[in-house]
Structure formats: C-alpha cells, structure tokens
Amino acid sequence: MGFHATVLTLYPEMFPGHLGGSLAGRALTRGDATVEAVNIRDHATGKHRNVDDTPAGGGAGMVLRPDVLARAIDAVCPEDDVRPRILMSPRGRPLTQARVRELAAGPGAVIVCGRFEGVDQRVIEARNLEEISIGDYVLSGGEPAALILLDAVIRVLPGVMGNADSGAHESFETGLLEHPHYTRPQVFEGREIPPVLTSGNHKAVAEWRQAQALQLTRNRRPDLIDRDRNPKD
Ligand code: SAH
C-alpha cells in the first residue's frame, strides 16, 4: 500500500527536494509515500553516455533519445507494474485536482522529466506516456513540474492533512475557488473581520462562505463555472 513514485530525470539530486519537508516530508518518513529518483543517464550506453541528440529536420536545441528513455522506463517498470506512466510536458493535458485525486487513489506513478527541447515522439507512443502540463508556460525541465504534481498528490493521501475535513472545501474541490480566510487579530490596520464570521451562527457562516466562493469564481475564473455547466469541455 501507499503511493510509490519513480521519477526518471537527468537531475536526481533535485528529489525529494521540497517534498522532504513539512506535510509531504512526514508522509515520506512514515512510508505512506515514496519518491525514488532514477538517473536517465544510467541507462545510456557507449563511451560518451549520450542521452540527447540533434533534432531530426534541423533547428535549435537537443532532443532526448527514445532508446535511452525506453531502457530507463523498462528498468523501473516490472511487467506487472500498473502505475500510470506520466511525461511532464507543456503540450500535455492541464493537471486538475480531479486527476490529482485519481492518482492519489492509485498505487503511484512513473514520472518522466523532459529536458532540452523535449523527448522523441516515438517513446511517448511506444511506452504509452500520459502527457501532463502544470500550466501554460515553459519550464527548462520537467523536474519542478514533477515536484508540483507530487506535492499535490501527497497532500491528499489519507492521513497526510491533519484535519480530514480541511481538503473538502478547498479551491477546485467544490468546482469553485475557496472563500477568503480571516484570523486574529480582530482589527488589522483598521480592517475588521467580517462580523458574520464571529457571530457564532454556523448556518450564516456557511452561506456567507458559499456566496463569497461563487462571487470570487465568477470574477476571477468564470471558466470554472462554465466547465461545470458543460462538463464535456
Ligand atoms: N520545446 C518544448 C518545451 C521543452 S521544455 C515545447 O515547446 O513544447 C523542457 C521540458 O520541461 C519538457 O520536456 C517538459 O518535461 C518540461 N516542461 C516545460 N514546461 C512544462 C509545463 N508547463 N508543464 C510540465 N512540464 C513542463
């Protein structure tokens, strides 16, 4: 049991990175989650152990070789390994909280981190890699993207968040952005906590939060509301 991630990377020293601290760190220490980083270069052959080569058709940059990457994937995936094989990629399907929940409910993931211009298309097809993007911007490598995906997955594993309820109302979990938060002091630089939150009226608090969440989402992310109405998008 537990969530077991194997990360294929040219920079294994980047793992577990920030996951070693705080909430995720405790999950790793307890063994609820494991993150193993494997150096793709260990699966390169030849005198120079090349992992990349120039792009077919010309152009700038380098491309990760399919043979080296396939060997690395095969080496970490036993035949009966049912874990999804993910490639971090700006061309991938955008990561959502729903996919995060699905991954957290499964046995783990094999995560490939691209570098340079990306990876040879044939290994994506031959090893059935699911391309996942963390947003519409380009990173220099897949490692920070993998750390972000793993952070999101590990924090929703059973027993990782202190209060089991604290995930339920969060942004995206309800299809909406979350309501704003307040804590002491009662007055900060002349700004008061909205009185309803200190009224002790739980029903009024819940209604206020729901209305705030709806208004915030309408203003900032109307696409989330449209997505709910048209689930096919
Ligand atoms: N030439 C590619 C970008 C390569 S960036 C293109 O234009 O699509 C190098 C690597 O960084 C990628 O292979 C991928 O693994 C990672 N990466 C960059 N941006 C990413 C993003 N938004 N989400 C996930 N991974 C990303």
Side-chain angles (χ1 to χ4, degrees):
M1 282 307 284
F3 183 89
H4 301 294
T6 306
V7 182
L8 297 174
T9 170
L10 290 170
Y11 298 92
E13 67 278 8
M14 288 192 189
F15 295 87
H18 79 275
L19 298 173
S22 186
L23 275 183
R26 286 202 290 278
L28 294 180
T29 309
R30 280 199 309 262
D32 293 343
T34 58
V35 175
E36 177 199 14
V38 172
N39 197 334
I40 295 169
R41 200 174 294 280
D42 292 346
H43 300 276
T45 55
K47 197 164 66 157
H48 298 293
R49 299 206 150 239
N50 279 338
V51 295
D52 57 335
D53 212 327
T54 54
M62 300 295 270
V63 178
L64 265 170
R65 288 169 54 138
D67 53 345
V68 177
L69 201 48
R71 260 199 306 277
I73 293 170
D74 296 345
V76 302
C77 292
E79 207 133 278
D80 58 349
D81 197 333
V82 296
R83 292 178 298 171
R85 289 188 288 259
I86 293 168
L87 170 65
M88 304 317 302
S89 161
R91 301 183 320 188
R93 185 180 277 246
L95 183 62
T96 60
Q97 190 66 13
R99 187 72 186 110
V100 165
R101 288 270 177 199
E102 276 171 15
L103 288 169
V110 177
I111 304 176
V112 178
C113 301
R115 277 276 158 181
F116 321 118
E117 290 307 312
V119 313
D120 187 300
Q121 180 63 25
R122 292 167 296 176
V123 71
I124 301 178
E125 295 164 12
R127 291 299 178 274
N128 197 20
L129 303 183
E130 171 190 356
E131 292 181 75
I132 294 185
S133 166
I134 60 155
D136 292 343
Y137 40 79
V138 182
L139 305 169
S140 51
E143 290 78 8
L147 287 167
I148 284 171
L149 182 145
L150 289 169
D151 183 299
V153 169
I154 291 172
R155 74 182 278 285
V156 299
L157 291 176
V160 172
M161 264 186 297
N163 173 359
D165 186 44
S166 76
H169 301 289
E170 240 141 21
S171 292
F172 312 114
E173 297 283 4
T174 58
L176 299 177
L177 302 178
E178 200 184 34
H179 56 78
H181 298 284
Y182 298 87
T183 186
R184 280 179 285 276
Q186 178 66 29
V187 182
F188 164 69
E189 296 184 353
R191 296 161 191 264
E192 303 241 11
I193 296 176
V196 59
L197 296 180
T198 47
S199 67
N201 181 340
H202 299 302
K203 184 158 172 284
V205 169
E207 284 169 3
W208 181 88
R209 286 179 169 167
Q210 174 66 19
Q212 290 284 318
L214 198 59
Q215 192 186 5
L216 208 66
T217 310
R218 275 206 194 103
N219 290 343
R220 295 187 183 176
R221 294 292 305 277
D223 58 298
L224 292 178
I225 293 172
D226 294 342
R227 193 201 288 178
D228 244 24
R229 285 211 196 101
N230 308 302
K232 279 196 295 293
D233 298 354

